[in-house]
């Protein structure tokens, strides 16, 4: 029996907005990861790790002030960019919680600016590391150990969030249960549909649903509830009982309703069928013997004919005896049932 699948509404209602929210949450986690570690060469065990949030809250500037090293112009710009990135990320996350299309259009531009600021911050930090290493005032005092993956990770996450925010603004009614995930994203990101974003009535989703047939998908739980298991067991038991009644012997199934005379007639017919089978088997054996005797020499032809005649007479006698036995058997059964 095939197991019925259970619909999970939470999974069916997942849309592009959830991917955007998850990307923004990961962005805030990545902004606090140490992307740059600075070590003082003259002092032992004096190292400090910095992230985007460390730049935004001024920890990087305090570390340079401790060693009386003036910050460059690019470092000051990076501090401003880091603060803007944190602010735009918080605004974008707050706007992503709303389902209005106009709000998501505004959220797209907010996240786009945040993505550009993140890219600019990553570029400035990568360039500044090489400048600080070759700076005469810093050389011999501080050493820089960057993690370029963590430097560019916030920019990538902000770009992914912007992508999903835009697709949600174009297709707000789309759900994962509809299927065609990649084709839906391709339709939303098509440059031809970009001017419709600024109109009051954007028909991108209607055009997509008209051109691409969407099918509802089913999601099965890992473990079924107890109520469904009990219902399934009771259904299987009832099916087994029905199958047993169908496959039972018709004579046994109808024995409760048939009379004694009808039972005797059925048994008589059954005895006749058995006797006929026996006669047929004997006839087949006699035919085989006949064919074998025909292939023998011509001297034994007369004996073969007499044997066949005898076999026919024996067959008739045996058939008569079997018929008599049938009649006696049926009469005995009928009398026995009447006495009972």
């Amino acid at each position: 029996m095939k197991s019925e699948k259970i619909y999970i509404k939470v999974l069916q209602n997942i849309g592009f907005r959830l991917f955007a929210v998850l990307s923004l949450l990961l962005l805030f986690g990545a902004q606090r990861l140490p992307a740059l570690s600075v070590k003082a060469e003259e002092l032992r065990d004096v190292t400090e790790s910095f992230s985007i949030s460390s730049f935004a809250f001024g920890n990087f500037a305090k570390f340079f002030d401790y060693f009386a090293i003036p910050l460059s112009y690019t470092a000051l710009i990076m501090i401003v960019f880091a603060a803007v990135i944190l602010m735009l990320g918080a605004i974008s996350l707050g706007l992503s919680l709303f389902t209005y299309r106009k709000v998501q259009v505004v959220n797209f531009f907010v996240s786009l600016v945040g993505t550009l600021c993140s890219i600019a911050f990553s570029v400035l930090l990568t360039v500044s590391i090489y400048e600080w290493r070759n700076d005469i005032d810093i050389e011999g005092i501080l050493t820089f150990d960057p993690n370029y993956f963590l430097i560019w990770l916030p920019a990538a996450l902000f770009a992914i969030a912007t992508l999903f925010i835009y697709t949600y603004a174009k297709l707000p009614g789309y759900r994962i249960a509809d299927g065609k995930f990649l084709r839906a994203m391709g339709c939303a990101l098509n440059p031809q549909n970009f001017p419709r974003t600024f109109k009051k009535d954007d028909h991108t989703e209607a055009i997509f649903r008209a051109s691409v047939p969407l099918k509802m998908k089913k999601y099965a739980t890992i473990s079924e509830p107890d109520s469904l298991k009990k219902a399934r067991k009771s259904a299987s038991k009832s099916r087994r009982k029905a199958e047993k009644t169908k496959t039972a012997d018709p004579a046994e199934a109808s024995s409760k309703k048939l009379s004694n005379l009808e039972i005797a007639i059925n048994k008589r017919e059954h005895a006749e069928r058995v006797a006929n089978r026996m006669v047929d088997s004997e006839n087949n054996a006699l035919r085989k013997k006949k064919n074998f005797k025909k292939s023998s020499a011509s001297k034994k032809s007369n004996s073969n004919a007499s044997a066949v005649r005898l076999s026919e007479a024996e067959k008739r006698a045996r058939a008569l005896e079997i018929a008599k036995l049938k009649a006696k058997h049926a009469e005995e059964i009928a009398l026995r049932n009447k006495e009972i």
Side-chain angles (χ1 to χ4, degrees):
M1 185 176 68
K2 294 182 179 179
S3 61
E4 297 178 358
K5 294 183 178 180
I6 303 170
Y7 291 97
I8 301 175
K9 294 182 179 179
V10 176
L11 294 178
Q12 285 184 336
N13 292 328
I14 290 176
F16 293 113
R17 186 165 61 96
L18 181 62
F19 291 97
V21 172
L22 292 175
S23 300
L24 291 170
L25 292 175
L26 292 174
L27 171 65
F28 278 98
Q31 286 174 347
R32 284 157 178 79
L33 295 175
L36 177 65
S37 60
V38 183
K39 181 180 179 182
E41 294 184 354
E42 296 180 355
L43 300 175
R44 293 181 180 179
D45 299 331
V46 179
T47 57
E48 190 71 22
S49 297
F50 300 99
S51 60
I52 294 178
S53 60
S54 298
F55 278 87
F57 293 114
N59 295 331
F60 185 76
K62 291 178 182 178
F63 187 79
F64 268 64
D65 290 338
Y66 179 79
F67 291 96
I69 299 174
L71 285 174
S72 61
Y73 184 70
T74 55
L76 294 173
I77 295 174
M78 280 191 296
I79 292 171
V80 175
F81 273 133
V84 172
I85 290 167
L86 291 177
M87 181 181 64
L88 293 176
I91 294 171
S92 181
L93 181 60
L95 293 175
S96 298
L97 301 178
F98 295 94
T99 58
Y100 300 104
R101 181 183 172 276
K102 294 181 180 179
V103 175
Q104 296 306 317
V105 172
V106 175
N107 191 12
F108 165 68
F109 290 102
V110 173
S111 59
L112 182 62
V113 174
T115 303
L116 296 175
C117 291
S118 298
I119 294 171
F121 176 82
S122 300
V123 171
L124 289 175
L125 183 57
T126 304
V127 173
S128 299
I129 289 169
Y130 290 100
E131 291 180 355
W132 294 332
R133 284 176 177 176
N134 299 324
D135 193 352
I136 300 173
D137 297 331
I138 301 175
E139 188 178 2
I141 301 173
L142 301 175
T143 56
F144 301 91
D145 186 14
N147 188 344
Y148 294 105
F149 175 76
L150 295 178
I151 289 173
W152 288 93
L153 181 61
L157 291 173
F158 224 139
I160 293 170
T162 304
L163 183 70
F164 283 111
I165 289 168
Y166 177 72
T167 51
Y168 179 73
K170 299 293 289 184
L171 303 175
Y174 175 82
R175 299 293 181 268
I176 276 188
D178 297 332
K180 309 294 183 182
F181 184 81
L182 296 177
R183 293 188 69 176
M185 286 192 67
C187 179
L189 299 175
N190 191 354
Q192 295 178 357
N193 300 327
F194 183 75
R196 298 174 185 170
T197 309
F198 308 101
K199 296 180 181 180
K200 293 182 179 180
D201 47 351
D202 188 2
H203 301 294
T204 304
E205 186 173 3
I207 295 170
F208 172 71
R209 290 182 180 274
S211 59
V212 180
L214 301 178
K215 296 181 180 180
M216 297 297 290
K217 292 185 178 180
K218 297 179 181 179
Y219 296 88
T221 54
I222 298 172
S223 61
E224 296 176 351
D226 296 333
S227 60
L228 184 63
K229 290 181 180 179
K230 291 179 181 179
R232 189 167 293 172
K233 286 181 181 179
S234 62
S236 63
K237 286 181 181 179
S238 62
R239 286 182 183 178
R240 288 175 186 174
K241 288 180 181 179
E243 289 177 357
K244 285 181 180 179
T245 54
K246 288 180 181 178
T247 56
D249 191 359
E252 293 178 357
S254 61
S255 61
K256 295 181 181 179
K257 297 181 180 180
L258 296 176
S259 62
N260 294 329
L261 183 61
E262 290 175 346
I263 292 169
I265 292 170
N266 290 332
K267 289 184 177 179
R268 182 179 178 180
E269 290 175 355
H270 178 67
E272 287 177 356
R273 286 195 296 269
V274 173
N276 290 328
R277 288 175 186 172
M278 292 173 65
V279 172
D280 291 334
S281 63
E282 289 176 359
N283 289 335
N284 292 328
L286 290 172
R287 286 172 186 172
K288 289 179 181 179
K289 288 180 180 179
K290 183 179 178 181
N291 294 329
F292 177 75
K293 288 177 181 179
K294 282 183 179 180
S295 63
S296 62
S298 59
K299 293 181 181 180
K300 297 180 181 180
S301 60
N302 294 328
S303 61
N304 290 334
S306 61
V308 171
R309 288 169 189 168
L310 291 173
S311 64
E312 290 179 356
E314 289 176 357
K315 181 177 70 173
R316 291 173 183 173
R318 286 180 183 178
L320 184 61
E321 290 177 0
I322 289 168
K324 290 179 180 179
L325 291 172
K326 291 176 188 175
K328 287 181 180 181
H329 182 67
E331 290 174 358
E332 289 176 357
I333 291 171
L335 293 171
R336 192 183 304 164
N337 293 328
K338 287 180 180 180
E339 290 175 359
I340 294 169

